[in-house]
């Protein structure tokens, strides 16, 4: 039996933070041997908000390299750049024309991002989930591993696929496979270091709110030292204590210990004792990734080869799906 397929992606907007790693990439690495995997750097998504053309290519290299540094293995997985495979844009257009506008207007992430953009909201920002649906549906993905925040986009993708199949295909011969979201509970939502009720995010203006995968040990130490805590004595996984809950979860993940064990270890601890432990575990967790990253970035030619081969493999799958879609819609193919 052939393996089930996974597709996922991250936007090349700056560096990755530990939320991206724990909520997404770490799970991809763990699962990859059991699946046929496609991981893309979604650069077309990165221009849905104003972007700087001078850093887009550099950021794209950074993310591709971090995929490898975090442990994505080319033996199981294909790594490619979204804009290298033109079927993504083309399918997005076709889906634009078969999806009701009000499905997009409901998207929470759009509303949140649109508020931040003020007058400058692009059509692309509204259309972002359609492009994401195209990314997923082109590869007949069975599972899409993402963080909790992407759940609504996955539901939309399923709705788009179901509606398309209903309208343009027969039950025995559907055009699209209906994908399933794969959201891990642990690490699914890493919270900001400055506010335990807010998601850790690349777009937060404060660098102190997040730990980046490439932060130096000194920087990690500084950020954890300054992070928000609460005045309660003794630490616990109490949902009423968002900062405490978040920091203990991070500690449990980076120190490879169960929550139960951490709860016991930290029950009588104060922040003064806990913070150095968390700092050390975080640095230990990130050092191997940083070393591998440096090694890959020193060899630019290597990354180009990986991305070229990835493009070729991705194109074979994506182009075949696109042809199926166009044919179902009645195009002369
Ligand atoms: P983005 O940074 O929005 O491109 O997200 C890339 C991946 O990381 C997606 O699968 C997100 O769901 C996941 N992700 C982003 N921020 C977080 C967070 N704070 N906690 C957990 N997962 C996250
Ligand atoms: N929207 C996703 C995010 O911000 C990124 C993304 C784009 C994606 N296309 C995708 C994730 C396809 C999974 C599958 O995190």
């Amino acid at each position: 039996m052939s393996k089930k397929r996974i597709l996922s992606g991250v936007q090349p907007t700056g560096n990755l933070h530990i939320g991206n790693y724990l909520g997404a990439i770490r799970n991809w690495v763990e699962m990859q041997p059991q699946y046929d995997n496609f991981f893309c750097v979604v650069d077309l998504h990165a221009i849905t908000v104003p972007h700087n053309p001078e850093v887009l290519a550099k950021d794209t290299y950074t993310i591709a390299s971090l995929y490898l540094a975090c442990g994505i293995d080319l033996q199981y997985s294909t790594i490619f750049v979204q804009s290298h495979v033109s079927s993504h844009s083309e399918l997005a257009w076709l889906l634009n024309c078969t999806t009701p506008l009000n499905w997009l207007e409901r998207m929470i992430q759009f509303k949140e991002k649109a508020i931040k953009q003020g007058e400058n909201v692009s059509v692309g920002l509204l259309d972002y989930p359609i492009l994401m649906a195209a990314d997923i549906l082109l590869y007949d993905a069975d599972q899409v591993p993402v963080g909790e925040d992407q759940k609504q986009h996955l539901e939309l993708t399923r709705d788009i696929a179901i509606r398309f199949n209903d309208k343009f295909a027969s039950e025995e011969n559907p055009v699209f496979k209906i994908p399933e979201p794969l959201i891990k509970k642990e690490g699914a939502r890493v919270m900001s270091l400055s506010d335990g009720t807010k998601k850790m995010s690349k777009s937060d203006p404060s660098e102190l709110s997040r730990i980046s995968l490439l932060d130096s040990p000194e920087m990690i130490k500084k950020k954890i030292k300054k992070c928000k805590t609460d005045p309660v004595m003794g630490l616990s996984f109490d949902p009423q204590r968002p900062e405490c809950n978040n920091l203990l979860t991070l500690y449990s993940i980076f120190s490879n210990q169960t929550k139960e064990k951490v709860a016991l270890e930290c029950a009588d601890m104060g922040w003064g004792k806990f913070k150095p432990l968390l700092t050390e575990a975080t640095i230990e967790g990130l050092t191997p990734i940083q070393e591998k990253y440096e090694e890959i970035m020193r060899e630019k030619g290597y990354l180009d080869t990986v991305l070229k081969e990835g493009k070729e493999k991705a194109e074979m799958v994506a182009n075949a799906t696109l042809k199926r879609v166009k044919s179902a819609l009645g195009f002369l193919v």
Side-chain angles (χ1 to χ4, degrees):
M1 219 180 72
S2 62
K3 288 181 176 174
K4 292 209 165 179
R5 179 155 309 140
I6 273 188
L7 177 125
S8 199
V10 172
Q11 300 189 51
T13 36
N15 201 322
L16 292 181
H17 53 71
I18 55 175
N20 300 125
Y21 176 57
L22 301 175
I25 300 177
R26 197 178 65 125
N27 302 328
W28 308 353
V29 170
E30 215 171 272
M31 298 179 319
Q32 62 182 339
Q34 288 98 275
Y35 292 90
D36 174 25
N37 312 274
F38 284 84
F39 297 120
C40 56
V41 183
V42 289
D43 52 351
L44 295 169
H45 277 102
I47 66 163
T48 53
V49 292
H51 84 290
N52 179 353
E54 276 164 30
V55 297
L56 182 61
K58 180 174 155 284
D59 285 349
T60 302
Y61 272 129
T62 300
I63 302 296
S65 174
L66 279 174
Y67 280 178
L68 291 164
C70 289
I72 298 298
D73 184 340
L74 298 172
Q75 182 188 340
Y76 308 113
S77 306
T78 302
I79 296 177
F80 69 101
V81 177
Q82 183 189 34
S83 68
H84 289 176
V85 180
S86 56
S87 305
H88 291 246
S89 311
E90 196 171 346
L91 180 59
W93 174 256
L94 302 176
L95 296 178
N96 274 338
C97 299
T98 58
T99 305
L101 177 62
N102 64 17
W103 287 12
L104 293 177
E105 289 167 337
R106 286 204 291 264
M107 293 295 113
I108 296 162
Q109 196 176 76
F110 169 70
K111 289 188 214 168
E112 284 175 358
K113 287 194 182 177
I115 289 170
K116 284 192 200 151
Q117 298 299 317
E119 294 281 290
N120 263 328
V121 181
S122 70
V123 177
L125 188 64
L126 178 68
D127 205 27
Y128 173 118
I130 297 264
L131 180 60
M132 178 163 165
D135 299 340
I136 296 166
L137 298 175
L138 277 176
Y139 296 87
D140 291 325
D142 295 282
Q143 310 258 20
V144 184
V146 281
E148 177 81 27
D149 61 329
Q150 295 300 313
K151 198 167 163 207
Q152 197 186 26
H153 291 159
L154 255 297
E155 279 157 12
L156 178 81
T157 302
R158 289 167 57 86
D159 289 342
I160 289 173
I162 291 168
R163 180 185 162 98
F164 189 101
N165 284 345
D166 275 352
K167 284 185 105 168
F168 302 106
S170 63
E171 231 169 272
E172 311 76 61
N173 212 359
V175 171
F176 290 128
K177 178 171 266 181
I178 313 299
E180 300 279 345
L182 216 161
I183 298 169
K184 277 242 187 163
K185 265 204 145 6
E186 198 89 318
R189 209 169 153 82
V190 176
M191 309 312 280
S192 158
L193 296 185
S194 342
D195 178 352
T197 62
K198 268 186 14 201
K199 187 180 90 150
M200 184 177 284
S201 156
K202 282 179 196 162
S203 56
D204 192 305
S206 167
E207 274 290 330
L208 288 177
S209 70
R210 60 184 163 263
I211 294 177
S212 294
L213 290 187
L214 299 176
D215 275 349
S216 65
E218 297 72 43
M219 185 59 86
I220 294 171
K221 192 168 171 198
K222 178 173 153 202
K223 287 179 176 174
I224 293 179
K225 202 163 175 199
K226 296 207 164 172
C227 76
K228 187 171 174 209
T229 54
D230 60 27
V232 185
M233 259 317 281
L235 309 180
S236 67
F237 288 95
D238 179 353
Q240 303 300 322
R241 299 174 65 187
E243 284 81 19
C244 188
N245 201 359
N246 188 44
L247 297 173
L248 286 188
T249 303
L250 289 177
Y251 178 58
S252 131
I253 296 175
F254 280 125
S255 66
N256 261 322
Q257 301 183 82
T258 60
K259 282 193 164 184
E260 291 72 26
K261 186 139 181 275
V262 167
L264 268 179
E265 184 188 351
C266 305
D268 300 319
M269 243 181 230
W271 293 111
K273 189 151 176 225
F274 174 74
K275 282 187 171 186
L277 290 181
L278 175 61
T279 303
E280 196 188 327
T282 307
I283 293 172
E284 242 173 63
L286 298 186
T287 301
I289 296 175
Q290 299 184 350
E291 287 173 356
K292 188 96 192 285
Y293 173 82
E294 294 300 335
E295 197 183 306
I296 296 163
M297 287 308 257
R298 274 197 295 270
E299 248 187 285
K300 262 276 165 63
Y302 169 68
L303 206 51
D304 283 327
T305 312
V306 169
L307 295 178
K308 182 166 172 283
E309 285 173 9
K311 167 190 183 292
E312 285 163 7
K313 276 195 182 164
E315 257 178 352
M316 286 215 291
V317 179
N319 291 352
T321 309
L322 185 67
K323 205 164 166 198
R324 235 162 54 214
V325 177
K326 288 175 86 173
S327 168
L329 287 171
F331 285 94
L332 183 62
V333 289

